[in-house]
Amino acid sequence: MTKPFADLRVVELAGSHAGAFAAKMFADYGARVVKVVPADGDPLLHHGELLPQHALGAREVGSIWAFANTSKLILAGEAESEEVGALIAGADVVIESSAPDPLVPVTNALDAPGLVRVLISPFGLSGPWAERRSNVFTDDAASGHMYLNGEPGRQPFRRHGRHTEYSGGMYGFIGAMAALIARESSGRGQTVEVAQLEAMVAMHQHTTTMWTHAGHVLKREGNSQPGIWHPAGVYECGDGFVFLSHATGAKLEPFLQAAGLGHLLEDPRFATNESRGVNKRAFDEALRPWLMSHTSAEICDLGEATFSPLGPVWDTHEFLADPHMAAREFFVPLDESRGSELIPRGPFRLGADYSGGNPRPPSMVEPEELAGWGASAPAGSGESDLADGPLSGLRVLDLTRVWAGPIAGRLLGDLGADVVHIESPWNRGPLEAPEGLAELTHLYPDNELGDRHWNRNGGFNKLACNKRGVSIDLSGEPGQQLFRELLAASDVVLENYSPRVFPQWGLDWESLQGINPSIIHTSMPGYGAHGPGANRVALGPVIEAATGMTMMSGYADSIPYRSGVAWPDPVSGMSAVAGTLVALWQRLASGGEGQRVETAMIESMGTFAGDELLSAQVVGQPPPRRGNREQGVAPQGVYRCLGDDRWLAISITSDNEWQALCEIVELPGEWSSWELWEREARHDQIDALLSIWSRAIAPSHAASRLQAGGVLAAALADARDLLESEHLASREFWAEVSSSDVGALRYPGCPVRLSETPGTYRRGAPGLGEHNREVLAEYVGKSEAEVSALAEAGVIADRPPSMEELLKPRI
């Protein structure tokens, strides 16, 4: 019998925020977690890039540290000690991490067959960059994310927060849960390795795909989204800013008509998605007078009334005061005995009441208080076939669209699940494709649509690897009944519909259980299924703007800027997988009882923004836009290098690093004695000389020289750099698979590496309806004649409808 989640025992050896976050997920959702802190203190309090201690008092520093360590028992001890070794030997999971320094594991020689070891580091334990140092700033640069933020003619800027480490931590948690689930079958533990670089590269949307498919390097485009999708950015309005994300005319037209601006679509420059994509500036100028005459609240109210993907660009304090989040009780006290600061409840919710995590203040513990600590012996037989990965045999119905949901399904598939992607016949667009679509999007091989363009879109195909494809018209009762039959034969249903859709189909939780008492239902509504804002239309950039992250992003002299990558989408995808695996564990522990999981995008992103939200409360005001600069770190910036749009990121977090930088760059000798406050005061002067030095050197060469001297530095990678990375190649990160009508191409691989049950790349993306017959026969026993009848009736399909067919009413 699988032990309850609350009985899991986890040891965290104090290291980086990535390891702390992985352990926090275990602790906040009920597992017993002991964090071992060495005599000289938690490294999180020592790394200069983590806390501007010179600007905060002891209580404030303690509050920020506590956020990363909620619900944990803190034990003073040395990782190599016999006492801690016994603690680890009796645990289910041990988590080791390090940043900015490379990780040197201390549990390599530990003989504990059932133990799951999680190792998280900046670049992984092998490869040419394994010994490099990195923090969140240089992680963002090396992974290709920073390159996409900002104006084409200016330096790129960073994404705020601890996102690179939290991503590594969440993937570590996912890997640990997958390994524990595998242990229930095999009886053996294993090692899980996560490199933060790989985690971040896996979380791009179109960046690498545009290069592998069309040889196109995606570049930043200010407050617009590159490509044909417009408007999709930050816009100034009468009293602040709003984020408009009307990427297609179908979403834009109702909003413009309601605003009295329908005539704009009569202009040939704005009439189609493609024409707006090449006339972005003119469209924005036409829209600006109306926006400036309305407040953010008025625009957002109109957006909600027309089901438009738009929202406010809030600062941290406005997000904390959002009535919707209050109604959902998302923010909870960090420590009521010490102050009034609030923190996020967690990225996913579980159970009949969707209660979510329960973060509590950390507490010190003495060794004698851990008497009776110890994991029960693994019960697996060792005979299960886990050849496809730790989730081999798990059946997942993936009904998701766009990005957040599909990346969740892709990750479950990479880990071995049989993921069946169910999509409507028109999900990939109509039979006809607009002229020039391939050249405008760069998402089709060789910039050619081909004979069956619906099977050739790289944006879809990247996320559909390791899935089988079934195309069902779910708009009518026959398709919904067929879906119910598939549901009865599955383990998990994953969907990111509006909260209204499943109930409209008669599939509330009680109905789902009536069909399949063991089903795990993972829903991914943008704002959650309840609360006054539940019906807001959500896309990743709109969510990011609501959490306060967009408001602090941009140049110090600018308005807020959108991120080059819609970060909440992959964050929500990871969170959905994490919640699904916890629910799967609870199902095992309960003997097969079905489970509910809700991953609201706003809560996933809110959790990842937790440290910034807490810091703003501690300081008492929202953080200002500072570009690439950061309090307590100096110099820190992005410097132009030799070549076209080539840049170098440097982050100095200690006096030793500063002295090494002075020597390598040959800065004036007297500068090497400058302390932090002097470097902050003279940042412009330092930047001027660093820019002179960097202009004459290639960024990769500069980064190598600086790293050799112990300086945190990284070349800003673009798509080509990532695909040609010697480090990623040596670690065999890329997955090369063949898809229908495309052939073999490389896609990002799985950042979760398991030593005994590794993930696999079994198939490329399916063609539309490619596995209709196969899946319907295998899952629900449909005969050839029955499948043919479904196809004849239009319930299933293997090609999209024409525009004429789409416009016909469906009965």
Side-chain angles (χ1 to χ4, degrees):
M1 184 73 175
T2 300
K3 67 172 71 174
F5 189 85
D7 289 345
L8 288 174
R9 298 293 184 260
V10 180
V11 175
E12 176 199 348
L13 303 182
S16 73
H17 268 86
F21 191 83
K24 173 182 169 69
M25 289 296 99
F26 275 107
D28 286 350
Y29 286 92
R32 197 175 192 201
V33 177
V34 173
K35 178 169 186 170
V36 178
V37 176
D40 61 350
D42 192 331
L44 299 190
L45 293 173
H46 301 328
H47 298 163
E49 80 280 11
L50 298 180
L51 294 174
Q53 296 184 56
H54 70 289
L56 299 177
R59 187 189 71 80
E60 288 82 2
V61 169
S63 294
I64 296 172
W65 174 85
F67 171 71
N69 294 292
T70 50
S71 312
K72 300 175 187 177
L73 303 172
I74 310 300
L75 175 68
E78 299 299 328
E80 298 87 348
S81 68
E82 183 177 334
E83 182 180 72
V84 172
L87 195 67
I88 294 172
D92 296 287
V93 180
V94 59
I95 299 171
E96 297 188 70
S97 62
S98 182
D101 297 314
L103 175 64
V104 180
V106 300
T107 58
N108 281 330
L110 189 65
D111 183 18
L115 182 67
V116 173
R117 299 169 63 236
V118 179
L119 309 175
I120 312 173
S121 60
F123 297 106
L125 303 182
S126 63
W129 291 2
E131 299 303 315
R132 286 193 173 189
R133 307 176 72 235
S134 191
N135 63 4
V136 292
F137 185 73
T138 52
D139 281 346
D140 211 36
S143 62
H145 284 261
M146 189 185 294
Y147 182 78
L148 301 176
N149 302 331
E151 293 288 346
R154 300 185 67 176
Q155 75 272 22
F157 56 78
R158 68 183 177 121
R159 175 182 286 119
H160 283 258
R162 308 230 59 81
H163 299 287
T164 65
E165 291 187 314
Y166 288 177
S167 298
M170 185 64 92
Y171 275 120
F173 176 72
I174 289 169
M177 287 304 307
L180 288 170
I181 290 168
R183 191 183 71 175
E184 292 301 292
S185 298
S186 70
R188 301 188 303 277
Q190 57 184 306
T191 298
V192 178
E193 187 199 352
V194 174
Q196 287 158 212
L197 174 69
E198 294 174 349
M200 293 293 289
V201 175
M203 295 168 77
H204 279 281
Q205 186 177 17
H206 297 317
T207 311
T208 57
T209 306
M210 286 181 172
W211 176 252
T212 56
H213 284 58
H216 176 76
V217 174
L218 183 64
K219 293 181 177 291
R220 58 197 176 281
E221 201 169 301
N223 254 324
S224 296
Q225 180 172 336
I228 64 173
W229 305 279
H230 194 78
V234 176
Y235 288 81
E236 193 172 3
C237 62
D239 64 345
F241 305 94
V242 292
F243 199 105
L244 305 182
S245 194
H246 301 85
T248 66
K251 295 291 186 182
L252 179 62
E253 183 175 1
F255 174 73
L256 291 181
Q257 295 291 356
L261 297 171
H263 61 277
L264 291 182
L265 296 178
E266 298 172 7
D267 188 322
R269 297 174 299 169
F270 314 142
T272 68
N273 298 333
E274 294 74 28
S275 63
R276 280 193 307 281
V278 297
N279 293 287
K280 294 176 182 177
R281 187 180 298 274
F283 179 84
D284 291 350
E285 290 174 354
L287 188 61
R288 177 177 169 80
W290 185 88
L291 291 172
M292 294 302 295
S293 65
H294 290 78
T295 66
S296 172
E298 290 170 342
I299 297 168
C300 291
D301 286 345
L302 184 62
E304 190 165 346
T306 56
F307 298 101
S308 293
L310 62 82
V313 181
W314 275 337
D315 63 33
T316 50
H317 282 59
E318 289 172 312
F319 177 48
L320 288 162
D322 181 10
H324 176 70
M325 306 312 293
R328 290 179 60 80
E329 299 180 338
F330 175 64
F331 292 114
V332 297
L334 171 63
D335 187 345
E336 291 180 292
S337 68
R338 298 185 58 186
S340 59
E341 292 89 1
L342 301 174
I343 60 172
R345 181 183 293 276
F348 54 86
R349 296 173 180 244
L350 298 146
D353 59 354
Y354 286 148
S355 57
N358 182 30
R360 306 172 305 282
S363 59
M364 298 298 297
V365 66
E366 297 297 328
E368 56 269 20
E369 298 178 64
L370 297 174
W373 170 278
S376 58
S381 65
E383 299 175 357
S384 297
D385 179 11
L386 300 177
D388 289 341
L391 303 183
S392 294
L394 187 73
R395 286 181 166 184
V396 178
L397 299 183
D398 177 0
L399 282 78
T400 62
R401 301 161 297 163
V402 190
W403 188 13
I407 199 173
R410 160 78 197 270
L411 181 53
L412 290 169
D414 288 351
L415 293 174
D418 178 22
V419 179
V420 174
H421 183 230
I422 297 177
E423 57 181 322
S424 69
W426 53 89
N427 179 59
R428 308 187 195 187
L431 187 68
E432 306 88 353
E435 184 178 352
L437 179 65
E439 291 81 2
L440 284 169
T441 63
H442 304 292
L443 290 175
Y444 296 84
D446 302 318
N447 279 329
E448 296 177 359
L449 290 175
D451 292 334
R452 298 197 294 179
H453 65 85
W454 54 91
N455 290 338
R456 287 170 56 82
N457 185 298
F460 176 90
N461 288 347
K462 181 192 75 168
L463 299 173
C465 292
N466 271 338
K467 301 180 185 181
R468 293 195 281 177
V470 173
S471 182
I472 305 176
D473 182 355
L474 294 171
S475 64
E477 178 57 31
Q480 293 171 22
Q481 179 56 38
L482 182 59
F483 170 64
R484 292 186 184 97
E485 295 178 43
L486 290 167
L487 191 67
S490 301
D491 297 293
V492 177
V493 58
L494 176 70
E495 49 91 4
N496 62 350
Y497 290 128
S498 158
R500 303 183 301 272
V501 173
F502 259 41
Q504 287 174 350
W505 290 353
L507 293 176
D508 56 17
W509 176 237
E510 290 72 22
S511 300
L512 286 171
Q513 284 196 301
I515 297 170
N516 184 343
S518 296
I519 196 67
I520 294 172
H521 176 207
T522 300
S523 61
M524 301 177 66
Y527 293 89
H530 74 272
N535 288 327
R536 299 170 186 166
V537 178
L539 288 178
V542 177
I543 295 289
E544 188 168 352
T547 63
M549 300 306 294
T550 299
M551 183 64 84
M552 67 183 76
S553 296
Y555 306 102
D557 59 356
S558 75
I559 69 169
Y561 269 70
R562 58 164 289 144
S563 291
V565 170
W567 195 238
D569 284 276
V571 167
S572 298
M574 282 193 300
S575 300
V577 172
T580 299
L581 295 184
V582 174
L584 182 59
W585 183 270
Q586 291 183 341
R587 188 178 77 168
L588 290 170
S590 67
E593 182 180 340
Q595 304 290 324
R596 301 172 75 191
V597 182
E598 182 184 88
T599 306
M601 290 180 73
I602 192 72
E603 295 185 347
S604 299
M605 186 62 189
T607 300
F608 267 55
D611 60 324
E612 296 287 343
L613 295 169
L614 180 56
S615 296
Q617 294 173 78
V618 168
V619 173
Q621 61 185 10
R625 277 185 297 282
R626 296 170 56 92
N628 286 319
R629 295 187 182 180
E630 184 175 355
Q631 195 174 19
V633 185
Q636 177 170 279
V638 171
Y639 305 93
R640 190 181 292 275
C641 291
L642 189 66
D644 178 28
D645 201 29
R646 308 302 273 174
W647 303 85
L648 173 72
I650 299 174
S651 182
I652 299 300
T653 66
S654 70
D655 291 340
N656 288 339
E657 293 169 11
W658 167 244
Q659 290 159 12
L661 178 67
C662 288
E663 181 178 349
I664 295 168
V665 180
E666 298 182 355
L667 296 176
E670 62 273 17
W671 288 17
S672 63
S673 63
W674 287 353
E675 297 180 3
L676 175 60
W677 69 269
E678 293 176 287
R679 302 198 298 271
E680 289 185 321
R682 300 177 180 182
H683 211 305
D684 288 344
Q685 187 179 3
I686 296 170
D687 282 352
L689 287 191
L690 287 178
S691 295
I692 294 173
W693 174 79
S694 65
R695 286 270 189 171
I697 190 170
S700 57
H701 181 49
S704 295
R705 286 184 59 187
L706 293 171
Q707 284 281 349
V711 176
L712 297 172
L716 270 66
D718 63 20
R720 177 168 49 187
D721 298 323
L722 296 176
L723 268 298
E724 295 178 356
S725 167
E726 180 186 3
H727 181 73
L728 293 174
S730 72
R731 289 177 55 82
E732 298 181 344
F733 169 71
W734 301 103
E736 186 166 323
V737 291
S738 294
S739 301
S740 298
D741 299 289
V742 171
L745 288 168
R746 281 187 291 171
Y747 301 90
C750 181
V752 179
R753 297 170 179 262
L754 297 103
S755 60
E756 300 299 318
T757 59
T760 53
Y761 309 120
R762 305 176 301 283
R763 57 168 55 92
L768 183 69
E770 179 178 342
H771 300 103
N772 286 346
R773 296 180 181 275
E774 178 181 307
V775 169
L776 293 178
E778 183 179 327
Y779 273 50
V780 295
K782 295 291 185 186
S783 66
E784 282 286 333
E786 289 173 313
V787 173
S788 296
L790 289 169
E792 182 67 24
V795 178
I796 61 174
D798 59 7
R799 76 159 181 85
S802 67
M803 282 299 298
E804 181 181 358
E805 292 169 324
L806 269 177
L807 293 174
K808 289 180 181 178
R810 287 189 294 275
I811 300 174

